[in-house]
Amino acid sequence: MASKLEQLRSMTTVVADTGDIEAVARLKPVDCTTNPTIVLKALGTPVFADRVKEAVTWGKSQNGSSEAVIAAVADRLAISVGAALAELVPGRVSTEVDADLSFDTEASITKARGIIAAYKERGIERDRILIKLASTWEGIKAAEVLQTEGIDCNLTLLFSKAQAIACADAKAFLISPFVGRILDWYKKSTGQDYTSETDPGVISVRQIYNYYKANGISTIVMGASFRNAGEIEALAGCDRLTISPALLDELDKAEGTLERKLSPDNITEDPFQPIDEKTFRWMLNEDAMATEKLSEGIRAFGKDLVALRDMVKKELAAA
Protein backbone atom coordinates (compact mmCIF):
# COMPACT_ATOMS: atom_id res chain seq x y z
CA MET A 1 0.00 0.00 0.00
CA ALA A 2 1.15 3.54 -0.74
CA SER A 3 2.38 5.59 2.20
CA LYS A 4 0.06 8.17 3.73
CA LEU A 5 2.14 10.88 2.08
CA GLU A 6 1.58 9.36 -1.36
CA GLN A 7 -2.11 9.00 -0.62
CA LEU A 8 -2.22 12.63 0.49
CA ARG A 9 -0.58 13.73 -2.77
CA SER A 10 -3.45 12.10 -4.68
CA MET A 11 -6.01 14.44 -3.11
CA THR A 12 -4.03 17.52 -1.96
CA THR A 13 -1.16 19.56 -3.39
CA VAL A 14 1.73 19.06 -0.98
CA VAL A 15 3.91 22.08 -0.22
CA ALA A 16 7.16 22.10 1.79
CA ASP A 17 7.32 24.62 4.62
CA THR A 18 11.09 24.98 4.65
CA GLY A 19 14.24 26.51 3.21
CA ASP A 20 16.13 23.24 3.60
CA ILE A 21 17.48 22.56 0.11
CA GLU A 22 18.37 18.95 0.80
CA ALA A 23 14.93 18.19 2.25
CA VAL A 24 13.18 19.77 -0.73
CA ALA A 25 15.31 17.79 -3.18
CA ARG A 26 14.52 14.58 -1.29
CA LEU A 27 10.80 15.08 -0.64
CA LYS A 28 9.90 16.66 -4.00
CA PRO A 29 7.02 18.97 -3.01
CA VAL A 30 5.13 20.92 -5.67
CA ASP A 31 5.65 24.31 -4.00
CA CYS A 32 7.73 25.82 -1.19
CA THR A 33 6.80 28.43 1.37
CA THR A 34 9.27 30.64 3.23
CA ASN A 35 9.08 33.31 5.91
CA PRO A 36 11.71 35.41 7.74
CA THR A 37 12.31 32.60 10.26
CA ILE A 38 12.89 30.03 7.51
CA VAL A 39 15.12 32.40 5.51
CA LEU A 40 17.26 33.20 8.55
CA LYS A 41 17.67 29.52 9.38
CA ALA A 42 18.53 28.61 5.76
CA LEU A 43 21.20 31.31 5.52
CA GLY A 44 22.93 29.84 8.57
CA THR A 45 23.65 26.60 6.70
CA PRO A 46 26.73 25.86 4.54
CA VAL A 47 24.50 25.49 1.47
CA PHE A 48 24.01 29.25 1.31
CA ALA A 49 27.54 30.35 2.26
CA ASP A 50 28.38 31.41 -1.29
CA ARG A 51 25.12 33.31 -1.64
CA VAL A 52 25.78 35.18 1.61
CA LYS A 53 29.24 36.11 0.33
CA GLU A 54 27.81 37.28 -3.01
CA ALA A 55 25.18 39.46 -1.33
CA VAL A 56 27.71 41.00 1.04
CA THR A 57 30.09 41.74 -1.84
CA TRP A 58 27.22 43.38 -3.70
CA GLY A 59 26.34 45.36 -0.58
CA LYS A 60 29.88 46.67 -0.22
CA SER A 61 29.71 47.92 -3.80
CA GLN A 62 26.66 50.00 -2.90
CA ASN A 63 28.74 52.57 -1.04
CA GLY A 64 28.74 51.65 2.58
CA SER A 65 26.66 50.08 5.31
CA SER A 66 23.71 52.45 5.68
CA GLU A 67 20.40 51.09 6.93
CA ALA A 68 19.10 51.18 3.35
CA VAL A 69 22.02 49.07 2.11
CA ILE A 70 21.61 46.61 4.98
CA ALA A 71 17.92 46.21 4.17
CA ALA A 72 18.73 45.79 0.46
CA VAL A 73 21.27 43.04 1.19
CA ALA A 74 18.76 41.29 3.45
CA ASP A 75 16.21 41.43 0.63
CA ARG A 76 18.80 40.04 -1.79
CA LEU A 77 19.45 37.11 0.54
CA ALA A 78 15.74 36.33 0.88
CA ILE A 79 15.49 36.27 -2.91
CA SER A 80 18.56 34.01 -3.06
CA VAL A 81 16.83 31.46 -0.82
CA GLY A 82 13.67 31.66 -2.90
CA ALA A 83 15.60 31.34 -6.16
CA ALA A 84 17.41 28.23 -4.92
CA LEU A 85 14.09 26.65 -3.97
CA ALA A 86 12.58 27.61 -7.34
CA GLU A 87 15.26 25.51 -9.02
CA LEU A 88 13.96 22.45 -7.19
CA VAL A 89 10.17 22.70 -7.28
CA PRO A 90 7.94 22.75 -10.37
CA GLY A 91 5.46 25.15 -8.81
CA ARG A 92 5.56 28.30 -6.72
CA VAL A 93 7.84 29.75 -4.07
CA SER A 94 6.38 32.13 -1.50
CA THR A 95 8.45 35.15 -0.43
CA GLU A 96 7.30 37.43 2.37
CA VAL A 97 6.88 41.18 2.43
CA ASP A 98 8.66 42.65 5.48
CA ALA A 99 6.66 42.21 8.68
CA ASP A 100 7.19 45.85 9.63
CA LEU A 101 5.07 46.81 6.60
CA SER A 102 2.06 44.82 7.79
CA PHE A 103 0.02 47.99 8.46
CA ASP A 104 1.14 49.96 5.38
CA THR A 105 -0.72 49.13 2.19
CA GLU A 106 1.24 51.33 -0.20
CA ALA A 107 4.65 50.29 1.15
CA SER A 108 3.62 46.63 0.94
CA ILE A 109 2.63 47.07 -2.71
CA THR A 110 5.95 48.76 -3.49
CA LYS A 111 7.93 46.03 -1.71
CA ALA A 112 6.00 43.28 -3.51
CA ARG A 113 6.70 44.83 -6.90
CA GLY A 114 10.38 45.00 -5.95
CA ILE A 115 10.41 41.32 -5.01
CA ILE A 116 8.90 40.36 -8.36
CA ALA A 117 11.44 42.54 -10.19
CA ALA A 118 14.32 40.98 -8.24
CA TYR A 119 13.21 37.48 -9.20
CA LYS A 120 12.84 38.53 -12.83
CA GLU A 121 16.47 39.72 -12.81
CA ARG A 122 17.36 36.11 -11.99
CA GLY A 123 15.20 34.76 -14.79
CA ILE A 124 12.31 33.73 -12.54
CA GLU A 125 8.93 34.99 -13.76
CA ARG A 126 6.06 36.12 -11.55
CA ASP A 127 4.03 33.00 -12.27
CA ARG A 128 6.57 31.06 -10.16
CA ILE A 129 6.28 33.39 -7.15
CA LEU A 130 3.68 34.08 -4.46
CA ILE A 131 3.96 37.28 -2.47
CA LYS A 132 3.25 36.61 1.20
CA LEU A 133 1.43 39.30 3.13
CA ALA A 134 0.09 39.28 6.67
CA SER A 135 -3.72 39.05 6.77
CA THR A 136 -4.16 42.49 8.28
CA TRP A 137 -6.69 44.79 6.63
CA GLU A 138 -3.78 46.69 5.08
CA GLY A 139 -2.11 43.50 3.85
CA ILE A 140 -5.35 42.27 2.30
CA LYS A 141 -5.90 45.62 0.55
CA ALA A 142 -2.34 45.43 -0.82
CA ALA A 143 -3.09 41.97 -2.17
CA GLU A 144 -6.24 43.28 -3.83
CA VAL A 145 -4.16 45.77 -5.84
CA LEU A 146 -1.37 43.31 -6.60
CA GLN A 147 -3.78 40.68 -7.88
CA THR A 148 -5.09 43.16 -10.48
CA GLU A 149 -1.47 43.51 -11.69
CA GLY A 150 -1.06 39.77 -12.15
CA ILE A 151 1.01 39.37 -8.97
CA ASP A 152 -0.41 36.41 -7.07
CA CYS A 153 -0.52 36.64 -3.28
CA ASN A 154 -0.39 34.28 -0.32
CA LEU A 155 -2.20 35.80 2.66
CA THR A 156 -0.51 34.43 5.75
CA LEU A 157 -0.98 34.65 9.54
CA LEU A 158 -4.65 33.87 9.01
CA PHE A 159 -6.57 32.73 12.08
CA SER A 160 -10.22 33.62 11.51
CA LYS A 161 -13.12 33.40 9.12
CA ALA A 162 -13.27 37.23 9.04
CA GLN A 163 -9.77 37.31 7.56
CA ALA A 164 -10.68 34.54 5.10
CA ILE A 165 -13.79 36.40 3.92
CA ALA A 166 -11.83 39.61 3.37
CA CYS A 167 -9.14 37.71 1.45
CA ALA A 168 -11.82 36.19 -0.79
CA ASP A 169 -13.31 39.64 -1.43
CA ALA A 170 -9.81 40.82 -2.44
CA LYS A 171 -9.55 37.85 -4.84
CA ALA A 172 -6.34 36.66 -3.21
CA PHE A 173 -4.74 33.73 -5.00
CA LEU A 174 -4.16 31.75 -1.80
CA ILE A 175 -4.62 31.90 1.97
CA SER A 176 -2.59 30.14 4.68
CA PRO A 177 -4.72 29.49 7.79
CA PHE A 178 -2.43 28.52 10.69
CA VAL A 179 -3.71 25.30 12.21
CA GLY A 180 -1.10 24.63 14.90
CA ARG A 181 -0.96 28.15 16.29
CA ILE A 182 -4.72 28.13 16.77
CA LEU A 183 -4.36 24.85 18.68
CA ASP A 184 -1.55 26.36 20.78
CA TRP A 185 -3.79 29.23 21.88
CA TYR A 186 -6.72 27.02 22.85
CA LYS A 187 -4.56 24.53 24.74
CA LYS A 188 -3.02 27.36 26.73
CA SER A 189 -6.36 29.10 27.24
CA THR A 190 -8.43 26.07 28.27
CA GLY A 191 -5.82 23.65 29.62
CA GLN A 192 -7.49 20.93 27.55
CA ASP A 193 -6.08 18.39 25.14
CA TYR A 194 -7.69 17.94 21.73
CA THR A 195 -8.04 15.11 19.24
CA SER A 196 -7.58 15.66 15.53
CA GLU A 197 -11.35 15.90 15.15
CA THR A 198 -11.83 18.42 17.99
CA ASP A 199 -8.69 20.44 17.18
CA PRO A 200 -9.82 24.11 16.89
CA GLY A 201 -7.28 24.76 14.13
CA VAL A 202 -8.59 21.86 12.06
CA ILE A 203 -12.18 22.97 12.61
CA SER A 204 -11.31 26.53 11.54
CA VAL A 205 -9.78 25.39 8.25
CA ARG A 206 -12.69 23.06 7.55
CA GLN A 207 -15.13 25.95 8.06
CA ILE A 208 -13.15 28.24 5.75
CA TYR A 209 -12.83 25.53 3.10
CA ASN A 210 -16.59 24.90 3.28
CA TYR A 211 -17.38 28.64 3.00
CA TYR A 212 -15.17 29.03 -0.06
CA LYS A 213 -16.53 25.98 -1.87
CA ALA A 214 -20.15 26.77 -0.94
CA ASN A 215 -19.80 30.21 -2.53
CA GLY A 216 -17.72 29.28 -5.56
CA ILE A 217 -14.68 31.20 -4.31
CA SER A 218 -11.55 30.32 -6.28
CA THR A 219 -9.02 31.42 -3.62
CA ILE A 220 -6.90 28.40 -2.66
CA VAL A 221 -7.00 27.19 0.95
CA MET A 222 -3.59 26.00 2.13
CA GLY A 223 -3.48 24.77 5.72
CA ALA A 224 -0.21 25.64 7.48
CA SER A 225 1.63 25.50 10.81
CA PHE A 226 1.00 21.91 11.81
CA ARG A 227 1.89 20.50 15.21
CA ASN A 228 1.35 16.82 14.41
CA ALA A 229 0.53 14.46 11.55
CA GLY A 230 -2.98 13.97 12.92
CA GLU A 231 -3.87 17.56 12.01
CA ILE A 232 -2.68 16.95 8.46
CA GLU A 233 -4.65 13.73 8.13
CA ALA A 234 -7.75 15.52 9.43
CA LEU A 235 -7.43 18.01 6.54
CA ALA A 236 -6.73 15.47 3.78
CA GLY A 237 -8.37 16.78 0.63
CA CYS A 238 -7.76 20.45 1.40
CA ASP A 239 -6.59 22.36 -1.70
CA ARG A 240 -3.01 22.54 -0.45
CA LEU A 241 -1.14 21.81 2.77
CA THR A 242 2.28 23.25 3.60
CA ILE A 243 4.17 20.81 5.79
CA SER A 244 7.54 20.73 7.54
CA PRO A 245 10.14 18.16 6.42
CA ALA A 246 9.86 16.29 9.74
CA LEU A 247 6.12 15.74 9.29
CA LEU A 248 6.54 14.94 5.59
CA ASP A 249 9.01 12.23 6.58
CA GLU A 250 6.61 10.92 9.23
CA LEU A 251 3.78 10.68 6.69
CA ASP A 252 6.10 9.06 4.17
CA LYS A 253 6.83 6.28 6.67
CA ALA A 254 3.22 5.91 7.84
CA GLU A 255 1.14 3.01 6.59
CA GLY A 256 -2.61 2.48 6.48
CA THR A 257 -5.48 4.07 4.63
CA LEU A 258 -5.74 7.84 4.57
CA GLU A 259 -9.39 8.92 4.52
CA ARG A 260 -10.33 12.03 2.53
CA LYS A 261 -11.85 14.53 4.95
CA LEU A 262 -12.48 17.55 2.70
CA SER A 263 -14.09 17.49 -0.72
CA PRO A 264 -15.91 20.05 -2.87
CA ASP A 265 -18.53 17.35 -3.38
CA ASN A 266 -19.43 17.32 0.33
CA ILE A 267 -20.26 20.92 1.24
CA THR A 268 -22.97 22.39 3.45
CA GLU A 269 -24.71 25.69 2.77
CA ASP A 270 -22.91 28.77 4.13
CA PRO A 271 -24.29 32.10 2.83
CA PHE A 272 -21.91 34.61 1.27
CA GLN A 273 -20.88 37.44 3.60
CA PRO A 274 -19.39 40.60 2.06
CA ILE A 275 -17.19 42.45 4.55
CA ASP A 276 -16.10 46.07 4.88
CA GLU A 277 -13.26 47.49 6.98
CA LYS A 278 -15.42 48.32 10.01
CA THR A 279 -16.95 44.84 10.06
CA PHE A 280 -13.57 43.18 9.56
CA ARG A 281 -11.96 45.07 12.43
CA TRP A 282 -14.90 44.41 14.74
CA MET A 283 -15.05 40.68 13.96
CA LEU A 284 -11.28 40.37 14.46
CA ASN A 285 -11.47 42.34 17.70
CA GLU A 286 -14.17 40.00 19.00
CA ASP A 287 -11.97 36.96 18.31
CA ALA A 288 -9.35 37.05 21.08
CA MET A 289 -7.42 34.12 19.65
CA ALA A 290 -7.13 35.60 16.15
CA THR A 291 -6.26 39.06 17.47
CA GLU A 292 -3.52 37.75 19.75
CA LYS A 293 -2.02 35.26 17.30
CA LEU A 294 -1.97 37.75 14.42
CA SER A 295 -0.12 40.31 16.53
CA GLU A 296 2.20 37.68 17.96
CA GLY A 297 3.01 36.33 14.48
CA ILE A 298 3.84 39.77 13.11
CA ARG A 299 6.11 40.45 16.10
CA ALA A 300 7.88 37.11 15.67
CA PHE A 301 8.50 37.65 11.95
CA GLY A 302 9.57 41.22 12.71
CA LYS A 303 12.08 39.95 15.26
CA ASP A 304 13.60 37.55 12.74
CA LEU A 305 13.72 40.32 10.14
CA VAL A 306 15.76 42.42 12.59
CA ALA A 307 18.00 39.40 13.28
CA LEU A 308 18.58 38.95 9.53
CA ARG A 309 19.52 42.60 9.12
CA ASP A 310 21.82 42.40 12.16
CA MET A 311 23.57 39.43 10.57
CA VAL A 312 23.99 41.43 7.34
CA LYS A 313 25.39 44.40 9.27
CA LYS A 314 28.02 42.19 10.90
CA GLU A 315 28.94 40.57 7.60
CA LEU A 316 29.31 43.96 5.92
CA ALA A 317 31.48 45.25 8.75
CA ALA A 318 33.72 42.18 8.56
CA ALA A 319 34.04 42.20 4.76
Side-chain angles (χ1 to χ4, degrees), residues 63-226:
N63 300 319
S65 57
S66 68
E67 291 302 314
V69 170
I70 291 168
V73 174
D75 290 345
R76 194 175 183 88
L77 287 170
I79 299 298
S80 290
V81 173
L85 293 170
E87 293 176 3
L88 296 174
V89 297
R92 308 264 194 153
V93 173
S94 290
T95 296
E96 194 137 354
V97 166
D98 297 343
D100 57 8
L101 302 180
S102 295
F103 303 102
D104 189 330
T105 297
E106 290 304 319
S108 292
I109 292 169
T110 299
K111 175 63 76 169
R113 290 170 179 159
I115 291 170
I116 293 299
Y119 274 113
K120 187 172 180 60
E121 287 177 1
R122 302 188 188 211
I124 301 169
E125 297 297 331
R126 65 181 60 192
D127 62 358
R128 298 289 317 284
I129 305 302
L130 291 179
I131 296 294
K132 287 183 80 174
L133 296 148
S135 298
T136 57
W137 180 258
E138 294 81 4
I140 293 167
K141 291 291 107 176
E144 187 171 33
V145 173
L146 293 166
Q147 288 290 160
T148 66
E149 298 177 1
I151 298 174
D152 288 333
C153 298
N154 171 353
L155 272 297
T156 188
L157 293 175
L158 194 146
F159 302 97
S160 69
K161 190 175 180 181
Q163 291 171 292
I165 293 171
C167 290
D169 285 356
K171 295 181 169 49
F173 180 81
L174 180 149
I175 62 170
S176 296
F178 276 30
V179 180
R181 296 195 196 190
I182 294 175
L183 175 64
D184 293 344
W185 189 92
Y186 277 98
K187 288 179 70 174
K188 182 178 179 180
S189 177
T190 67
Q192 298 179 17
D193 289 323
Y194 296 88
T195 68
S196 298
E197 289 299 313
T198 62
D199 185 312
V202 169
I203 292 170
S204 178
V205 175
R206 287 180 176 179
Q207 289 173 342
I208 291 168
Y209 177 91
N210 187 84
Y211 175 80
Y212 276 19
K213 303 311 177 191
N215 290 287
I217 294 165
S218 61
T219 299
I220 294 166
V221 180
M222 182 173 75
S225 174
F226 294 107

